[in-house]
């Protein structure tokens, strides 16, 4: 499996002995990643200071207050029971 780490300088995926870094250039809304959630359906979600981002393994889909978030800073996340 993969391990994911976020911080003020972006997002890092560790897969075996390979490190992959992700940043704004890769589609993240911000390099400050505050929270990470893997849902039961295996989708990955990242909370940043500039919005929420869903990663499908290839690209990021970003959500902000313009999409209905209460705030662009996403400190933490939890999956509902549905």
């Amino acid at each position: 499996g993969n391990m994911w780490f976020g911080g003020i300088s972006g997002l890092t995926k560790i897969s075996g002995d390979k490190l992959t870094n992700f940043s704004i250039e890769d589609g993240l809304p911000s390099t400050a990643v505050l929270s990470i959630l893997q849902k039961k359906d295996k989708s990955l979600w990242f909370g940043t200071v500039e919005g929420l981002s869903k990663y499908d393994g290839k690209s990021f889909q970003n959500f902000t207050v313009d999409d209905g978030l209460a705030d662009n800073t996403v400190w933490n996340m939890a999956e509902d029971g549905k």
Side-chain angles (χ1 to χ4, degrees), residues 39-41 78-82:
K39 292 181 59 175
K40 291 176 188 169
D41 67 4
E79 185 171 9
D80 65 18
K82 296 179 183 179

Side-chain angles (χ1 to χ4, degrees), residues 11-69:
L11 180 67
T12 300
K13 176 178 84 169
I14 300 174
S15 182
D17 61 353
K18 182 180 178 186
L19 293 172
T20 305
N21 295 305
F22 299 91
S23 66
I24 293 170
E25 291 79 18
D26 300 299
L28 278 173
S30 168
T31 57
V33 177
L34 305 174
S35 55
I36 300 172
L37 172 70
Q38 182 174 19
K39 292 181 59 175
K40 291 176 188 169
D41 67 4
K42 304 297 182 199
S43 62
L44 288 165
W45 293 79
F46 304 100
T48 77
V49 298
E50 295 294 334
L52 181 65
S53 191
K54 180 181 180 184
Y55 184 64
D56 65 7
K58 296 179 184 174
S59 62
F60 294 93
Q61 180 181 6
N62 299 317
F63 305 90
T64 66
V65 293
D66 293 337
D67 300 299
L69 291 181

